[in-house]
Amino acid sequence: MSGFGPPVKKKLKAEINVVPLIDVMLVLLIVFMIAAPMMTQGIKVELPQAASEPVESKDDEPITVSVKADGSYYIDLGGDPEQARPLAEIKAIVSKVLAEKPNTLVFVQGDKKVEYGVVVTLMGELKLAGAPSVGLITEPPR
């Protein structure tokens, strides 16, 4: 006798519909994927290409020292890196930052047209300033 008798009450579902949340999350993911490369700051240099693994990021913002093709030095501490500085001043700044935050990563971003000796001199000065290791920024091969 199915279909006859008193009507059966349906239980209410107490579930959240996650489909709209997934849609919003995917849209945000796409927006950040497009916007992230545009948020890169720094000095415009032509980086050499090399196959390498990315460095493990730490909590502290890294220090990036750039060398343009003309041999001028720039330091990026999250402020305005567009001012050329002498090597002695960059060494003093890096030394002060590393005295306060010794785990800060130090990177060198050298133009591919700059002489090898200029980059080696910069790396040596950064080591003397207290940098435990100095990383080189390169572009992946195309």
Side-chain angles (χ1 to χ4, degrees), residues 8-101:
V8 178
K9 289 188 177 183
K10 293 184 180 179
K11 279 188 158 182
L12 290 176
K13 286 186 179 181
E15 296 177 5
I16 296 175
N17 188 2
V18 295
V19 174
L21 295 175
I22 293 172
D23 292 343
V24 170
M25 186 177 62
L26 290 175
V27 168
L28 287 174
L29 177 68
I30 292 170
V31 167
F32 284 117
M33 286 173 56
I34 292 171
M38 290 184 244
M39 294 174 12
T40 306
Q41 299 178 13
I43 303 300
K44 180 67 178 158
V45 293
E46 290 185 39
L47 295 174
Q49 296 180 358
S52 60
E53 294 293 320
V55 177
E56 241 181 67
S57 66
K58 296 184 179 179
D59 294 337
D60 296 331
E61 191 71 25
I63 300 171
T64 303
V65 181
S66 302
V67 183
K68 280 194 163 183
D70 60 2
S72 56
Y73 299 103
Y74 298 83
I75 187 166
D76 184 6
L77 295 170
D80 183 23
E82 292 297 325
Q83 182 182 359
R85 299 178 187 260
L87 186 56
E89 184 179 340
I90 288 180
K91 181 180 174 184
I93 292 171
V94 170
S95 180
K96 287 178 187 175
V97 170
L98 290 173
E100 291 179 18
K101 299 178 182 177

Side-chain angles (χ1 to χ4, degrees), residues 103-122:
N103 292 332
T104 304
L105 297 174
V106 180
F107 294 119
V108 172
Q109 181 176 347
D111 194 285
K112 68 180 178 182
K113 295 177 184 165
V114 75
E115 290 185 23
Y116 180 70
V118 174
V119 175
V120 171
T121 302
L122 172 63

